[in-house]
Each structure stands twice: as C-alpha cells, then as structure tokens.
Amino acid sequence: MGCSSSSTKTRKSETSLKAALIIQNWYRGYKARLKARQHYALTIFQSIEYADEQGQMQLSTFFSFMFENYAHVHKEELELRKQSLESEQDMRDRHDYVDLIDVPDSYNGPRLQFPLTCTDIDLLLEAFKEQQILHAHYVLEVLFETKKVLKQMPNFTHVQTSPSKELTICGDLHRKLDDFMIFYKNGLPSESNPYVFNGDFVDRGKNSIEILMILCVSFLVYPNDLHLNRGNHEDFMMNLRYGFTKEILHKYKLHGKRILQILEELYAWLPIGTIVDNEILVIHGGISETTDLNLLHRVERNKMKSVLIPPTETNRDYDTDSKHNKVGVTFNAHGRIKTNGSPIEHLPKHEWEQIIDILWSDPRGKNGCFPNTGRGGGCYFGPDVTSKILNKYQLKMLIRSHECKPEGYEICHDGKVVTIFSASNYYEEGSNRGAYIKLCSGTAPRFFQYQVTKATCFQPLRQRVYTMESSAIKILKERVISRKSDLTRAFQLQDHRKSGKLSLSQWAFCMENILGLNLPWRSLSSNLVNIDKNGNVEYMSSFQNIHIEKPVQEAHSTLVETLYRYRSDLEIIFNAIDTDHSGLISMEEFRAMWKLFSAHYNVLIDDSQVNKLANIMDLNKDGSIDFNEFLKAFYVVHRYEDLMKPGVTNLG
Amino acid sequence: MADEKDREEIIVAEFHKKIKEAFEVFDHESNNTVDVREIGTIIRSLGCCPTEGELHDLIAEVEEEEPTGYIRFEKFLPVMTEILLERRYRPIPEDVLLRAFEVLDSAKRGFLTKDELIKYMTEEDRVSLCRLGW
C-alpha cells in the first residue's frame, strides 16, 4: 500500500511515536516518584512537629506536679506574678521598662517617633532589610503601647468589608514575612487595605522580633484596620521551646528580660479572633463541639497566660469576695502550697479549655470530635461539628491557620473551613507555598499564593526535592538516635536468632511503636537503614553515621541519650525555675528538679550519675550550673554528608 | 504446599502494608480516601508504570458507582495488590529507554535540544495511537 518511501516514512514515524510514548511513560513515573518523595518529607516534618507539640502539652502536667511539690521556688515565682498583676501596673511599666532606658547617640538604627505614623512603618521595613536591630528602648515602648491599645479591644473584633475595602487575611508567619513580601505584593496596611494576621507570628526563626515589631507598629498606626489574633505560639512557654525567647535574649542582652516580661502580658491581651461581616469566623486553630462563642466573648482572655499553665484544682475553692485580697501563699503541714487564689490569677477550667480548643484544634474528615492526640491539646473536629457550630451562630465559614499546607491553603468540610498558611518554605526550601485570602462581602474569597525562593528558584525539581528530603531525614535520624537504647532493646526482642537482622516489617513495627510516629517506614527504609540482598534490615545500621556528642568522657551513654532526648523539656523547666533569668541554677535546685523530673517521666537514671554529671558541669565550682551551657553540650553529630544518596535515578 | 501458601500470605500482607503507606501519605483528611488525581502518583510511587490509558482503566475500576472525585482505600487495596502480585506495569528497562532517545536523535549527537524534545513529546497522532494499542 503506497510506494516504499512513504511506508518507510510511516514506519519511521511509528517508531518515533513509540519512542516518544516510552519516554513520556518513564517521565510520568519519574515525576510521580519525586512527588511521592516530597510528600514523604512533608509527612516527616509534620509528624515530628506535632509530636513535639504533644510533648509540650504533656509538660503542663509536669508543671502542675512540680508546682505542687517544689515549694520554695514556686513561692518566689508567685510573688513576681502577684506584683505584676496589681493595678498600678501600667504606671510602673512605663517607669520600669521604658523610661529607664536611654538611646545612645551612637545608635544608628531606626528611631521611632511617637505617636507613630506610616513613616515609621517604612522606616522599620527599610532598616530590617538592612539587618539592623531596633533598640530595646523602642521595642519596649512599642510593646507597651501595643498592650495598652490591645487591652481596650474586645475578645472578638468585628470587621466589615466592602468593595472598596477588601480584607486580607494572613495565616502563620513564623518569622517568615520573607523580606516582607506580602506587604510589597498586597500593599502596606491602611484604612483601605485592612489586614488580619491570624496568629503564630513568632518562633522557629531568627527574625521573630522584627516581624512582631512591624506588626505592632502597623497596629499602632492603624488600630482599626490591622487585626492581630492570638495563635498557640503567642505563648511565652512555647517561645521558650521554639526559639523566640532565645532570639530575644541573644539580640537584647541587657534588656531582654524586660522585653520578655512585657511580651508575656501582651500575648494574653491579643484578641481571640475576628468576625467578618457577621458571617465569617477567623481564629487560629479551630473549634470543638462544645465551643461557646457567647462565653468566649465574655471570658477574661488576659488570664490565659499559657497553654502550659492549666487551671489547678484549687481554683474551684476561691472566694468571690476575695477579689481585692492580695494573693497569699500559705504552706500547709506537708510543705505543699495552697493559694487562696484571687480571681485575677486564673481562668476557670472550662473557660481555659474553650480557649485551648480555639488555639489548638485541627479539622479532619471524620465526623465527630476527638482529642487531638497529635498535638496533645485541642481536638480534631469533623464536618458535622463545623456545621453544627456555624449554624448555631449563623456563620457561613471558618477561616483558620495552624497547619502547614503544601499549597498555602486548603479548603475542607464542604467549603466551610479554610486553612490559610502564610509561611512559604516553612520546613525547608521548596517545602510549601504560602498564601493569603482577600475577602469582600458578596463575592467569593480570592486566594493568592507565593513561594519565596532565592537560589532554589532555578534549581531543577530533583534538586529541590533532594534538599527537602535530606533535611527531613536528618531530623528524623536525630529522633532515632535519641531513642537508641529503647529501639535497640525492641529490635533485639524481635531478633530471636540473634542474627542482627530483622524483616522490613519487624523493623518498621519497632520504629513506629518506639518513636510514636506514624510514618511510611517501608518507603523510607532505604534512607534510614542498610538492607541486604534478601530484603532484610540490619537494624543496628539505624544508628550509623550519627551520634550524640558526649559532653564529658565520664558520662554514661544512656544518661547522655536521655538528656539529649529531653533537652527541650529540660530547657523549659530550667527557665521556669530560673526566675531572675540569670541562666544559672543552684546545684541544689538542679538535683531537686531532676528528681522530680525523673519520677514524673519514669526515667530510669541513677541519681548518683546525675549528681556526678552536675558536679562536672559546675565548672567554676561555685555551686551553680549554667544550664544553657549544660544543654548546649548535648548535641548530635551527623556523619553522613557524603553517604546520603543523591536521589534515586533508577527506573523501577 | 502449606508452606508456599504461608509465604504467599506473608507477601500479600507486606504488599498491603506497603500500599497502605503510600496511600496514607496522600490521605490528607485521614479518612481513608485520596483525591482521584493522586492515584497515578500513588501507583507510580509503588514502582509501577501504567500508561495513561491503563491508568484511566484502573481508575474506572476503583471509582465509586457515582464518581465522587475521591477513591476509597477499601476499593483501591485489592486492585493494587493484584497489580503488585502479577508484576503488572513493570517499568521500562533502562536500555529500552536509552534506545527510545536514540531513535529520536537521528543525527546521533548524543543529545536532544529543548525544542526537539518539546516537539516529540507533544506530537501525538491519535490514529496511530489506537493502531499501536496504546
């Protein structure tokens, strides 16, 4: 059929076509595997993040335990708290905090002029781009003024939009205003360009204070058009663990403590949420089936200091007419503390729980309301709960943040719940986009996405996935090494023949159970362990290429491991004991605290070992331990750079 | 005989776990469903390389009677297990892939320019496709 030349041509084009199809097929598979690896990395980041938060919440029960038993330290702390709650506080603040600090002539950072104007916003943006640090005097003044204004705001700000006044809603920033890109893209806040920042402005980064300053200054210039909602990280206890406290103490060596003190109060005065056009509720976390908006409108939100300071049982006993009594501390016969807690101190338990739900809950697909075991606080709420609560208060939509989403936003519960997350590259370069919403009554919300990348923008996909993946594997390995003893024991229990090997299934089972992380272990196994040609796992290779530095030779490795594992918790506990923020605690305090800690956490460490370690750490033999030095000594060393396989390029 | 059956059961159990892991990573709502658009990614991440046509057929098999846009794990699992057991949709061997590139590179330069690649990848003769059974 047809002359020979055309049949050759047909044959040739058929072969080309086949070739093209083969290549397409291969490429689809390749891309899919990259995408899967990207998702695995994200899953790792998220699991570990939530497990950390869960650990944080569990710490709160330890604090209750500690406060009940650790008498004399608590007394001092209560004294400080009492002082900070008296009504002359405002005057004292000004005097104590701001006026005592002079700005030297030699300071060449930004100088703010009160009352603030938008010139000051620009000034700060410029200065921070140049990596300048704002002087403590201004920081304190801004925080102090912000607190004053916040105090006058109700628990929920009611906002109206119009075609000429669209509202922009941003989610978690976590110090990632990324060179303040949102302000450049969407414009600075103003009367015609109002914003809501839905919590989590700080922690996890090196520029949280700068972000906070921009937000507070903008707030002071436009108090009716820039709305700040409290997030679960606007909590001084969370800041201890997630880096903000460190950032402040590092940048403001002289006045850091004062800044921290005023921050603590400022957080508690942040409004709980925003209600837009009487139909959209904007809060940081989520809701539960018992969420009572009317109650939440009434609670004294400033009493909610921290998720880690739950209401104790003694709250129930307080006298309503002891309102004007000073908070007293009495010791009963057993040396336990009893507070005749004035109502100023604590929230009733059910109110505290209502706020926790708002700040910590996550939506899920399953109907019903379940305790949020991932984070250890708040709940998982289903579409039925959303419908019920929205209907109850005649609302149409819930906009929340709190969870990182690959696209920067996610819609669920049949369009009724929107998650908005504004920190792009949250876990790692290339991990996710950020997004913000623009709302206007009568029209559908519009979403704007972005991803700020500098160098990685032009990297091939394979490279970006590799970066993210190695980062995730690295932190996962740190988890693994922190549980080496428990894992080894579990492996050996399963290894009946003492061969040093387990099936993939057995290995995965141990990892999941000991680490408590629900991860795709089988798919990740090639990155974490050695597998022989029969598909069996050499389980001790889980610990290769990484070890915990021993601070001193004499320290026993299980002790080192335990201290490494709990170092975040220990840091918080140390900070709580160290009421004068000196960074030092006495040997006696250290020992007492360690005893309580090991009892509560069921840690089987010989007391004498801890004593020995403490003695060694007291380098200048003055009876006190610099706990930052102590904790810094426990770190992990990775020896893997050259061994990490640069992405799988096989085809199968 | 019994031994072999045991072994097969173990293999199936392992496949089930593997499939579950891959599925869960895309199950954002933790309710045992994934968006239908992710099925291709999941199957490919498990090492299989179906063509687009084969993928469409697969999706039809695991979809609900009335397509909801979501695929449930209960329906996906048995189908995927079969695929793995039968070693269906094996990936193309490296040498065949290399040959495919060489076919397109008629001048034997060892590379393809960006424009050429685009041209070949986007040209599709529907009639030929059917004839080739793709």
Side-chain angles (χ1 to χ4, degrees), chain A residues 291-302:
Chain A
T291 292
D292 181 348
L293 279 185
N294 294 325
L295 175 70
L296 282 166
H297 268 81
R298 291 191 318 255
V299 300
E300 293 175 82
R301 68 180 192 268
N302 61 306

Side-chain angles (χ1 to χ4, degrees), chain A residues 10 12-26 28-33 35-36 39-40 43 363-366 405-406 410-413 503-506 508 518-524 649-652, chain B residues 14 17-18 21-22 24-26 28-31 37-38 40-42 44-52 54 91-97 99-101 103-104 106 112 117 120-125 128-129 131-132 134:
Chain A
T10 327
K12 207 169 173 204
S13 70
E14 256 189 46
T15 327
S16 299
L17 201 54
K18 267 192 179 162
L21 287 165
I22 287 173
I23 295 172
Q24 277 181 357
N25 190 324
W26 159 77
R28 284 197 181 99
Y30 171 73
K31 260 207 103 170
R33 280 184 292 279
K35 195 166 176 202
H39 277 256
Y40 289 151
T43 308
R364 284 293 178 264
K366 201 162 136 188
K405 297 292 177 191
E410 192 172 273
I411 306 180
C412 63
H413 292 190
S503 72
L504 190 54
S505 200
Q506 288 171 310
N518 180 15
L519 292 174
W521 295 107
R522 285 163 191 77
S523 313
L524 295 170
T649 50
N650 68 26
L651 312 169
Chain B
E14 262 309 292
K17 295 213 188 90
K18 218 174 148 191
E21 268 188 5
E24 275 179 351
V25 160
F26 291 90
H28 303 300
E29 297 228 327
S30 308
N31 59 356
R37 292 165 291 185
E38 311 263 39
T41 312
I42 297 174
R44 289 173 174 131
S45 77
L46 287 165
C48 303
C49 289
T51 64
E52 283 297 279
E54 286 163 340
I92 296 153
E94 212 171 277
D95 56 338
V96 175
L97 184 63
R99 282 278 311 283
F101 276 107
V103 159
L104 298 179
S106 45
L112 289 172
L117 193 60
Y120 285 123
M121 289 301 118
T122 53
E123 247 173 27
E124 247 171 56
D125 178 15
S128 312
L129 269 176
R131 255 193 298 135
L132 290 170
W134 286 86

Side-chain angles (χ1 to χ4, degrees), chain A residues 507-555:
Chain A
W507 174 82
F509 175 78
C510 294
M511 296 295 272
E512 170 125 1
N513 274 313
I514 300 289
L515 294 176
L517 295 171
N518 180 15
L519 292 174
W521 295 107
R522 285 163 191 77
S523 313
L524 295 170
S525 58
S526 57
N527 287 323
L528 295 170
V529 278
N530 293 341
I531 303 182
D532 71 13
K533 47 183 169 8
N534 297 321
N536 291 319
V537 173
E538 293 162 15
Y539 53 81
M540 290 311 282
S541 66
S542 313
F543 312 114
Q544 71 189 357
N545 301 328
I546 179 171
H547 69 273
I548 305 172
E549 254 329 302
K550 269 194 197 173
V552 281
Q553 273 308 91
E554 296 91 336

Side-chain angles (χ1 to χ4, degrees), chain A residues 103-115:
Chain A
V103 185
D105 290 334
S106 57
Y107 168 71
N108 53 10
R111 288 170 186 265
L112 302 175
Q113 293 261 39
F114 285 79

Side-chain angles (χ1 to χ4, degrees), chain A residues 419-529:
Chain A
T419 302
I420 186 79
F421 193 83
S422 301
S424 70
N425 303 327
Y426 176 58
Y427 293 120
E428 180 56 76
E429 287 282 352
S431 66
N432 65 291
R433 289 180 150 141
Y436 56 90
I437 306 175
K438 290 193 81 98
L439 281 183
C440 171
S441 65
T443 56
R446 294 184 295 149
F447 295 87
F448 292 82
Q449 293 169 298
Y450 52 86
Q451 187 159 19
V452 178
T453 49
K454 298 186 175 111
T456 56
C457 193
F458 303 111
Q459 277 187 3
L461 180 64
R462 180 177 46 90
Q463 192 62 29
R464 280 182 275 148
V465 170
Y466 169 56
T467 306
M468 220 174 83
E469 193 183 47
S470 4
S471 196
I473 296 290
K474 188 169 165 179
I475 57 172
L476 185 54
K477 279 188 144 173
E478 287 175 7
R479 281 270 142 149
V480 169
I481 197 79
S482 80
R483 304 298 301 269
K484 183 174 172 179
S485 313
D486 291 335
L487 278 169
T488 310
R489 208 176 311 130
F491 290 149
Q492 284 169 344
L493 264 174
Q494 297 256 345
D495 182 16
H496 304 296
R497 280 175 296 168
K498 307 270 172 269
S499 60
K501 298 194 186 179
L502 289 176
S503 72
L504 190 54
S505 200
Q506 288 171 310
W507 174 82
F509 175 78
C510 294
M511 296 295 272
E512 170 125 1
N513 274 313
I514 300 289
L515 294 176
L517 295 171
N518 180 15
L519 292 174
W521 295 107
R522 285 163 191 77
S523 313
L524 295 170
S525 58
S526 57
N527 287 323
L528 295 170
V529 278

Side-chain angles (χ1 to χ4, degrees), chain A residues 571-586:
Chain A
E571 185 165 1
I572 296 179
I573 295 169
F574 282 146
N575 271 296
I577 297 176
D578 177 31
T579 46
D580 60 356
H581 295 287
S582 60
L584 301 168
I585 58 170
S586 73

